[in-house]
């Protein structure tokens, strides 16, 4: 089968099935073979791997995954794409399972247990940008056994995931991602690599899951509540940000004492703290 990464072949398939793009599903199909090869290489796919693809579209990247992985599970929400995948673009592969479902509703732990004996899998996707954060955070927080997640995301989102203290992109997403994984931006991808063209630039980012979290905290949920409160009011000092957050129920004196214990100035802002410092703060303040 001719690769769909060639735009002519994609146009042919779309015409054959009279396919109408659904904006609400964030459909921007890849039409660049170099980018597709780059994604497969970055994900470090081998014939041992079970790969979960989120949103196969017409199967452009899925074909590459089928060639390179042991087994592929492709989860697509748009029922109009299923006949294209089953009868046409993936028909020649016997190592792919197509599931017509919303990825946010699927029990991935059960799926990995059943299909990979609970062993760690890889996730690859050109993500629908409207649900990038819920998908990534959902994968992390449900503790699905994962080796890495290699995804196309909006360029700004990739920058935020990789940012550290002192950068304007640093925030709650950076800390959440870096608590679970090591980010690496593998490529920046221009708009003309997609059909239709998105309104924003894109990037491929690989998130390699930590074997152990890089910091130890008494209460994970409390640390993330502290982080959210610190960045909710970016221009405020950490003391004000944390004491203004009603759900944390912290007094000014408590926060000031904790900062002193950590050797941080009373006027410090959340955006100056590293993940290690947020973890220390959590361990001092957690009751
Ligand atoms: N992988 C294809 C490619 O690279 O050409 C398509 C990528 S397109 C950016 C995103 C795909 O995700 C679309 O096929 C869309 O229908 C699908 N999608 C959107 N929301 C989804 C959801 N909640 N669950 C599963 N698939 C979804």
């Amino acid at each position: 089968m001719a690769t769909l990464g060639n735009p002519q072949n994609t146009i042919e398939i779309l015409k054959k099935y009279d396919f109408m793009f659904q904006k609400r599903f964030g459909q921007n199909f890849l039409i660049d073979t170099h980018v597709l090869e780059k994604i497969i290489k970055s994900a470090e796919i081998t014939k041992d791997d079970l790969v979960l693809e989120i949103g196969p579209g017409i199967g452009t990247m899925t074909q590459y995954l089928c060639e390179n992985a042991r087994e592929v599970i492709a989860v697509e929400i748009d029922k109009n794409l299923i006949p294209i995948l089953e009868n046409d673009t993936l028909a020649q592969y016997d190592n792919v399972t197509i599931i017509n479902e919303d990825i946010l509703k699927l029990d991935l732990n059960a799926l990995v247990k059943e299909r990979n004996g609970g062993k760690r899998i890889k996730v690859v996707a050109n993500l629908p940008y409207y649900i990038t954060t819920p998908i990534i955070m959902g994968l992390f927080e449900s503790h699905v056994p994962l080796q890495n997640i290699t995804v196309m995301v909006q360029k700004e989102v990739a920058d935020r995931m990789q940012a550290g203290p002192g950068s304007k992109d640093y925030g709650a997403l950076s800390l959440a991602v870096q608590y679970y994984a090591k980010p690496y931006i593998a490529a920046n991808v221009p708009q003309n690599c997609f059909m239709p063209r998105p309104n924003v630039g894109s990037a491929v980012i690989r998130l390699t899951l930590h074997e152990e979290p890089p910091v130890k905290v008494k209460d994970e949920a409390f640390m993330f509540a502290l982080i959210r409160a610190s960045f909710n009011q970016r221009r405020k000092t950490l003391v004000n940000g944390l004491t203004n957050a009603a759900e944390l129920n912290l007094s000014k004196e408590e926060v000031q004492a904790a900062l002193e214990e950590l050797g941080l100035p009373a006027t410090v802002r959340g955006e100056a703290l590293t993940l290690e410092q947020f973890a220390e703060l959590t361990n001092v303040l957690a009751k």
Side-chain angles (χ1 to χ4, degrees):
M1 145 120 235
T3 167
L4 297 163
N6 173 336
Q8 261 342 94
N9 298 336
T10 285
I11 291 168
E12 224 168 82
I13 286 284
L14 297 175
K15 273 205 183 129
K16 180 172 166 190
Y17 287 86
D18 234 348
F19 180 76
M20 303 284 279
F21 284 101
Q22 300 266 1
K23 229 186 155 134
R24 71 191 163 114
F25 289 147
Q27 292 177 340
N28 301 94
F29 298 164
L30 266 169
I31 47 162
D32 186 298
T33 50
H34 297 295
V35 174
L36 287 154
E37 282 157 17
K38 183 95 196 181
I39 295 172
I40 299 297
K41 192 157 171 258
S42 311
E44 299 169 343
I45 310 280
T46 74
K47 278 285 170 197
D48 285 335
D49 291 322
L50 172 68
V51 178
L52 168 70
E53 187 189 9
I54 301 164
I58 57 171
T60 312
M61 192 148 62
T62 328
Q63 293 181 337
Y64 283 80
L65 293 172
C66 290
E67 298 282 350
N68 289 282
R70 187 192 86 231
E71 201 185 327
V72 181
I73 298 177
V75 180
E76 173 56 60
I77 197 169
D78 186 350
K79 65 174 176 3
N80 293 327
L81 288 165
I82 306 303
I84 303 181
L85 295 166
E86 282 180 350
N87 307 333
D88 215 311
T89 59
L90 301 181
Q92 73 184 97
Y93 296 106
D94 58 9
N95 61 340
V96 60
T97 308
I98 299 153
I99 302 178
N100 183 202
E101 188 47 281
D102 179 345
I103 189 68
L104 297 176
K105 295 195 178 139
L106 213 58
D107 182 349
L108 291 175
N109 276 303
L111 196 69
V112 175
K113 199 167 174 194
E114 182 196 322
R115 303 296 289 271
N116 213 37
K119 285 204 306 289
R120 300 194 299 159
I121 65 159
K122 290 176 180 164
V123 174
V124 176
N126 168 17
L127 285 178
Y129 293 172
Y130 75 108
I131 43 169
T132 298
T133 309
I135 290 177
I136 303 275
M137 292 316 297
L139 287 169
F140 286 146
E141 287 167 1
S142 56
H143 296 283
V144 178
L146 296 172
Q147 284 182 33
N148 61 33
I149 304 174
T150 307
V151 281
M152 179 87 69
V153 297
Q154 200 176 319
K155 165 95 176 73
E156 285 71 19
V157 175
D159 290 340
R160 278 163 50 205
M161 287 178 175
Q162 208 193 27
S167 149
K168 67 171 180 15
D169 296 321
Y170 186 56
L173 182 67
S174 325
L175 285 154
V177 164
Q178 292 165 32
Y179 178 70
Y180 292 105
K182 183 171 174 294
Y184 165 71
I185 296 183
N188 287 319
V189 182
Q191 278 124 304
N192 60 10
C193 295
F194 302 87
M195 184 187 296
R197 289 162 63 115
N199 297 324
V200 292
S202 302
V204 177
I205 190 165
R206 181 185 63 213
L207 309 171
T208 306
L209 277 279
H210 297 308
E211 302 259 344
E212 291 286 330
V215 294
K216 287 218 160 27
V217 280
K218 283 185 196 161
D219 184 343
E220 246 175 49
F222 184 65
M223 178 172 76
F224 285 116
L226 282 183
I227 289 172
R228 273 194 306 275
S230 309
F231 287 97
N232 258 347
Q233 300 176 302
R234 242 192 136 87
R235 279 176 298 279
K236 294 229 159 104
T237 62
L238 189 64
V239 174
N240 284 335
L242 297 187
T243 47
N244 287 348
E247 75 275 14
L248 290 175
N249 194 21
L250 292 168
S251 72
K252 218 174 190 131
E253 293 69 38
E254 274 176 293
V255 180
Q256 279 167 338
L259 291 183
E260 205 177 313
E261 197 176 327
L262 299 186
L264 290 167
T267 54
V268 74
R269 290 183 186 178
E271 63 199 19
L273 266 62
T274 61
L275 176 61
E276 289 70 22
Q277 288 171 318
F278 272 111
E280 286 173 20
L281 191 62
T282 303
N283 292 338
V284 173
L285 288 172
K287 297 182 184 117

